[in-house]
């Protein structure tokens, strides 16, 4: 007869932890009280090349996961409100020149050269949201309160209860928008979804805000459009080759830059902790999961 193990860890679900080395996992101890965590980064000789991969779903084979019946969740449910706050903050900064005006005052130019140039009003702007998911919906909610006119493009048209105009492609959205708020996931289909044709359609007074992934925008083309004055400004929390940022942007007052920090708040990490714990418990109890990725 096989002897039954007396190790209490044998009855604890095993959870493999896949994280970038830069993520310090502040709630690891709490998870460890419920699950047996297998974290390769706990080993000093861990050299797995994939551990430096991006967060998000762009490094996952979604088609294969769908074929195998593997459920995937992400953190947008936990992060959406704080990311939307920063997206709106970036937009206001670009339109009103808040960061540039701060530099103007601190440098002493106000006293030397007089008043700072006029900014632009947010209310009444036509806002095109690229990806009306958890984050995009929160962005829309905030900008409606400013009196903005909201439209969107997404993988599919939302139900009739969503009151915003829908465009089947980003080019038509850009043609009918003053601002593009880029909030969608990075996939093969959305890589460089904001290309030179889209930027040209947006126009020389148009603004692009990106809180999704850097590679959603053709960054080289975007820099050239800004330098030539062919778009009005950008607010970027993400870049194609982080932490490397195109140096041309450093000289432009109409480019507001943030170091991929939209989710870096205590409230975000508290919500993430609760979401991860909820989903792990639900998974091992065969209960429904939250914040599921929708497959096409």
């Amino acid at each position: 007869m096989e002897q039954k193990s007396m190790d209490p860890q044998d009855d604890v679900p095993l959870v493999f932890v896949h994280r970038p080395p830069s993520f310090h996992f502040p709630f690891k101890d709490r998870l460890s009280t419920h699950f047996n965590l297998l974290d390769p980064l706990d080993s000093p000789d861990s050299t797995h090349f994939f551990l430096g991969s991006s967060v998000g779903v762009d490094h996952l084979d979604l088609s294969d996961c769908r074929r195998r019946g593997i459920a995937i969740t992400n953190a947008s449910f936990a992060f959406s409100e704080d990311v939307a706050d920063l997206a709106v903050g970036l937009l206001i900064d670009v339109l009103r020149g808040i960061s540039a005006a701060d530099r103007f005052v601190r440098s002493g130019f106000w006293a030397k050269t007089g008043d700072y140039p006029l900014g632009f009003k947010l209310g009444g702007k036509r806002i095109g949201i690229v990806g009306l998911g958890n984050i995009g919906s929160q962005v829309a909610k905030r900008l409606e309160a400013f009196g903005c006119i909201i439209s969107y493009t997404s993988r599919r048209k939302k139900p009739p209860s969503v009151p915003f105009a829908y465009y089947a492609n980003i080019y038509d959205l850009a043609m009918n928008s003053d601002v593009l708020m880029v909030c969608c996931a990075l996939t093969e289909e959305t890589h460089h979804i904001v290309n030179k044709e889209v930027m040209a359609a947006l126009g020389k007074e148009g603004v692009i805000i990106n809180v999704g992934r850097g590679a959603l925008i053709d960054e080289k083309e975007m820099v050239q459009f800004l330098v030539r004055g062919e778009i009005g400004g950008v607010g970027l929390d993400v870049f194609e080759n982080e932490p490397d940022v195109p140096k041309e942007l450093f000289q432009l007052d109409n480019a507001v830059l943030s170091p991929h920090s939209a989710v870096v708040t205590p409230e975000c990490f508290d919500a993430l902790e609760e979401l991860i714990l909820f989903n792990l418990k639900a998974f091992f109890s065969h209960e429904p999961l939250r914040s599921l990725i929708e497959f096409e």
Side-chain angles (χ1 to χ4, degrees):
M1 179 179 293
E2 182 179 352
Q3 186 175 5
K4 193 172 183 179
S5 171
M6 301 300 291
D7 187 347
Q9 287 294 312
D10 288 351
D11 295 325
V12 178
L14 179 65
V15 174
F16 175 73
V17 177
H18 171 47
R19 62 185 174 96
S22 59
F23 183 68
H24 299 301
F25 208 0
F27 41 88
K28 185 174 183 177
D29 289 344
R30 184 179 178 194
L31 289 182
S32 297
T33 64
H34 299 277
F35 309 102
N36 185 11
L37 301 182
L38 177 59
D39 186 350
L41 288 177
D42 282 341
S43 173
D45 60 351
S46 176
T47 57
H48 299 291
F49 70 92
F50 58 84
L51 290 175
S53 63
S54 169
V55 294
V57 300
D58 44 288
H59 59 292
L60 299 177
D61 188 333
L62 297 180
S63 297
D64 198 48
C65 289
R66 175 178 55 190
R67 181 179 65 83
R68 294 170 180 266
I70 298 173
I72 301 173
T73 67
N74 68 4
S76 64
F77 181 85
F79 289 166
S80 57
E81 291 190 353
D82 288 43
V83 174
D85 286 349
L86 185 75
V88 174
L90 287 171
L91 176 57
I92 294 173
D93 197 337
V94 174
L95 292 175
R96 298 301 301 267
I98 297 172
S99 295
D102 178 78
R103 294 190 293 270
F104 182 79
V105 172
R106 291 174 186 273
S107 65
F109 286 148
W110 190 15
K112 296 176 183 177
T113 64
D115 292 339
Y116 188 74
L118 295 173
F120 297 92
K121 180 181 178 179
L122 174 57
K125 286 285 186 291
R126 299 174 302 163
I127 308 293
I129 299 178
V130 184
L132 198 67
N134 287 326
I135 294 170
S137 297
Q138 291 293 334
V139 169
K141 177 182 177 181
R142 284 152 175 73
L143 290 176
E144 269 195 299
F146 283 93
C148 295
I149 302 163
I150 310 295
S151 56
Y152 73 98
T153 189
S154 201
R155 288 175 296 179
R156 63 177 69 91
K157 188 175 182 180
K158 301 298 180 181
S161 58
V162 176
F164 312 129
Y166 169 74
Y167 291 92
N169 62 76
I170 191 173
Y171 180 85
D172 289 341
L173 181 70
M175 285 288 293
N176 292 277
S177 299
D178 303 309
V179 177
L180 285 182
M181 308 288 288
V182 185
C183 308
C184 62
L186 176 62
T187 64
E188 290 183 4
E189 292 75 21
T190 61
H191 182 268
H192 284 188
I193 189 173
V194 182
N195 55 28
K196 63 180 180 180
E197 290 78 17
V198 170
M199 287 182 253
L202 186 62
K204 64 185 303 181
E205 294 184 357
V207 172
I208 301 170
I209 305 298
N210 189 6
V211 291
R213 288 289 181 269
L216 293 168
I217 299 176
D218 186 333
E219 195 168 81
K220 290 182 179 178
E221 287 289 347
M222 178 198 68
V223 169
Q224 292 306 308
F225 268 72
L226 284 166
V227 170
R228 296 193 300 260
E230 295 175 354
I231 54 175
V234 297
L236 307 172
D237 185 51
V238 288
F239 305 87
E240 281 209 69
N241 299 296
E242 297 175 0
D244 296 327
V245 177
K247 293 181 174 56
E248 296 92 335
L249 298 178
F250 299 161
Q251 309 303 319
L252 301 175
D253 280 342
N254 59 346
V256 179
L257 314 175
S258 174
H260 203 151
S261 59
V263 303
V264 185
T265 69
E267 293 84 358
C268 260
F269 284 102
D270 288 346
L272 176 61
E273 178 180 346
E274 293 303 323
L275 178 62
I276 290 175
L277 188 59
F278 176 91
N279 275 341
L280 287 173
K281 288 182 175 180
F283 175 79
F284 290 111
S285 301
H286 307 288
E287 299 291 337
L289 305 177
R290 289 179 183 167
S291 198
L292 275 168
I293 296 293
E294 294 182 13
F295 296 115
E296 289 295 332

